[in-house]
Amino acid sequence: MRVLAAMSGGVDSAVAAARAVDAGHEVVGVHLALSTAPGALRTGSRGCCSREDADDARRAADVLGIPFYVWDFADRFKEDVIDDFVAAYAAGETPNPCLSCNEKIKFSALAEKAMALGFDALATGHYARLADGELRRAVDDDKDQSYVLAVLTAEQLSRAMFPVGDSPKGDIRAEAAERGLSVANKPDSHDICFIPTGDTRAFLGAKIGIRPGAVVDADSGAKLADHEGVHGFTIGQRKGLGIEVPAGDGKPRYVTGIDAESGVVTVGSAEHLQVSSIVATHAIWTSGQIPTGPFECVVQVRAHGGLASASAAPISVGDEPGIEITLHEPLTGVAKGQAAVLYSLDREAGDLVLGSGRIASTVSTPQVALAQ
C-alpha cells in the first residue's frame, strides 16, 4: 500500500513509519505544522510542533530513506482545536484537545488530503491496536491511547494504521536506538501541545479575559469567594479555589458544579462528586453499527483512569445521537466536555472500543445535578 506516515518528531511516530517500511509499504513521511509561530526548541516534555520537532522528523525520515514533507495545517488547527478548546472552557466545560485533533485534523483533514493524493492509509504513532477493523487498547496499558481515538468512525479507522500499539514503550525506544534514530531517548510530550508553558489558566485568561463570578457552597448556597472566570475551574478541582475559610466539617472542598451563564462555581464535599449516570451527545459507534438496545460495558471518562462498569443505550438528545450511561458503581470527577468511551472488557484480546460520546450532563448518587 501507499502509506502516509504522520511524523511528529517523536520516537513513537518514527518507529511507526519504520515498521510500515519494513512491512513493504511505499511510505512517505509528513510533519504537520500546527503553529503559526512555532518555537525553535522544545522544553523537555512541554509542547510539541516546534522547529526542532520538524527537524527531528526529517532526520528520522532520512534514516529510513523515505520522502518527507511538511504540511501547513496551522489555520485549521487553530479553528478546529484551539478555538474549540477556548470556547469549551468559557462554557464551563473541560475539553480534551487530543480528541478534537484526532477527529478533525489527523484523521479528517490530513487523512482526506492523503486519500486525495492516492495514499491508501495513514500511519501514526498512537498506542492502540486495530484487529479486523476494530479498535482495541494497546498492549502497554500505561501508554494506551484508545481513549483519544474513540472519536473515529468506522470509515476513518479503515484508513488507519497504528504500528506501535502491539509493543511496550520500552521496546519502542530500544528499537529506535537499534535503527539509529536520534529520537530514541527524546522525552514524551505530556502537556497540551499549544500551551508549552503548561499554564492552562493563564493561557485561557489571555484568550477569554476576566468574567467575574462567585464560588458558593453546595449545601448552604453561601458565597465563599469571588473568581475571575469559570475557565479557571474544572469538576473535581481541589486547589486554587480562592477559599480562605475552612469547611465546617473540616473536610476538603471540591468543584462540584460550573454554571458559565451565571458565573457560579459550586464547591462541596467529595460525596457531591459521586456520579451515578451520564448523558453524552455526539455519539460515535466505532463499528459503524448503532446498538439496538441497552448493553453492558465499561466506561472510561478521562484519558487516564475514571473506569467503571455500566450499562449503556443509544438515545436521541434533541436532534443529535447520544448515549445514556447508567453506572454500576459511582465515578468521581466526571466533567462536562470530556469523552465517555465505552469498552467491551476482554483483557486477553485487548479491550474493544465500542463507541464514545461527549459528556453533556451527569447526575450524582444523591440525585444532585452536576455539570449542568
Side-chain angles (χ1 to χ4, degrees), residues 237-304:
Q237 179 178 331
R238 177 182 174 183
K239 296 182 179 180
L241 304 182
I243 301 172
E244 297 180 358
V245 180
D249 57 9
K251 295 181 180 179
R253 290 190 182 100
Y254 303 85
V255 174
T256 61
I258 301 171
D259 187 328
E261 186 173 348
S262 67
V264 171
V265 174
T266 306
V267 298
S269 64
E271 287 74 15
H272 287 83
L273 290 173
Q274 294 187 340
V275 168
S276 60
S277 65
I278 299 168
V279 170
T281 58
H282 190 53
I284 294 174
W285 305 101
T286 51
S287 68
Q289 301 295 318
I290 301 174
T292 56
F295 58 92
E296 295 299 303
C297 62
V298 172
V299 62
Q300 182 171 340
V301 298
R302 293 187 292 278
H304 302 286

Side-chain angles (χ1 to χ4, degrees), residues 144-169:
D144 174 62
Q145 292 174 295
S146 61
Y147 175 87
V148 295
L149 294 169
V151 291
L152 303 185
T153 65
E155 181 182 1
Q156 289 171 322
L157 289 171
S158 71
R159 305 184 305 228
M161 294 173 60
F162 306 125
V164 303
D166 61 355
S167 302
K169 181 63 179 251

Side-chain angles (χ1 to χ4, degrees), residues 22-156:
D22 289 351
H25 301 303
E26 179 187 346
V27 181
V28 173
V30 63
H31 179 80
L32 299 188
L34 300 178
S35 173
T36 55
L41 301 173
R42 295 170 89 244
T43 304
S45 63
R46 293 198 181 279
C48 67
C49 313
S50 67
R51 290 194 290 272
E52 177 189 359
D53 291 313
D55 290 343
D56 285 341
R58 186 181 299 278
R59 281 190 286 268
D62 288 343
V63 171
L64 300 177
I66 62 174
F68 177 82
Y69 301 91
V70 176
W71 289 354
D72 186 355
F73 277 75
D75 290 341
R76 182 73 181 265
F77 185 76
K78 178 184 180 301
E79 179 181 347
D80 288 344
V81 179
I82 299 177
D83 290 351
D84 278 3
F85 177 83
V86 173
Y89 262 103
E93 299 180 355
T94 306
N96 185 322
C98 293
L99 291 157
S100 297
C101 186
N102 287 330
E103 179 183 14
K104 299 178 181 179
I105 304 298
K106 292 176 182 174
F107 296 92
S108 181
L110 174 61
E112 288 169 7
K113 183 173 181 178
M115 300 309 121
L117 292 173
F119 289 93
D120 302 300
L122 173 66
T124 71
H126 286 99
Y127 280 83
R129 288 181 286 174
L130 282 169
D132 299 322
E134 295 180 327
L135 180 63
R136 294 182 177 272
R137 287 193 189 275
V139 166
D140 191 331
D141 284 338
D142 291 336
K143 293 296 180 181
D144 174 62
Q145 292 174 295
S146 61
Y147 175 87
V148 295
L149 294 169
V151 291
L152 303 185
T153 65
E155 181 182 1
Q156 289 171 322

